[in-house]
Amino acid sequence: MSRMEIVWLGIGLFGQALFSMRFIVQWFHSEREKRSVVPVQFWYFSLAGGITLLCYAIYKQDPVFIIGQLSGLFIYGRNLYFIHRAEALSDKYDHLTRSG
């Protein structure tokens, strides 16, 4: 195995670790709240792991892996957009109710 292949293997393993962390974070939050919850960190770990794994898939030139990660990245990004938009609207509503 060449030095470059070892570096890319490390990148792939790091991406998989990031991707796996989302389940650990989700499990931790669900146990703490005694119900199933999906915290915002779940989507950030999904996005970071997905981007890293997409880079690895491109390096490996694996079209199945590339398509799978690209579609996932769209979903993770869209969920983060909805979360932050809802927070911004909530902040705006709170500001309006306090000032007027």
Side-chain angles (χ1 to χ4, degrees):
M1 187 179 280
S2 74
R3 186 178 210 167
M4 185 59 82
E5 289 174 348
I6 292 171
V7 168
W8 275 105
L9 179 62
I11 291 170
L13 290 171
F14 179 68
Q16 188 59 51
L18 287 173
F19 209 67
S20 297
M21 276 300 296
R22 67 191 192 144
F23 293 117
I24 293 169
V25 166
Q26 193 272 333
W27 173 70
F28 178 76
H29 281 266
S30 293
E31 286 294 326
R32 190 173 61 193
E33 296 203 21
K34 304 294 183 208
R35 62 186 179 95
S36 181
V37 294
V38 180
V40 69
Q41 294 91 346
F42 177 91
W43 299 113
Y44 280 113
F45 274 114
S46 298
L47 192 64
I51 289 170
T52 308
L53 288 173
L54 176 63
C55 293
Y56 180 73
I58 291 170
Y59 169 75
K60 297 299 275 184
Q61 299 179 348
D62 184 332
V64 174
F65 199 10
I66 291 169
I67 291 168
Q69 290 304 316
L70 277 175
S71 60
L73 287 175
F74 173 76
I75 295 166
Y76 313 144
R78 191 73 175 151
N79 277 304
L80 284 169
Y81 167 77
F82 287 137
I83 290 167
H84 290 294
R85 186 178 75 170
E87 288 174 354
L89 289 173
S90 177
D91 289 346
K92 187 175 181 178
Y93 177 77
D94 288 345
H95 177 73
L96 289 173
T97 56
R98 274 186 268 139
S99 64

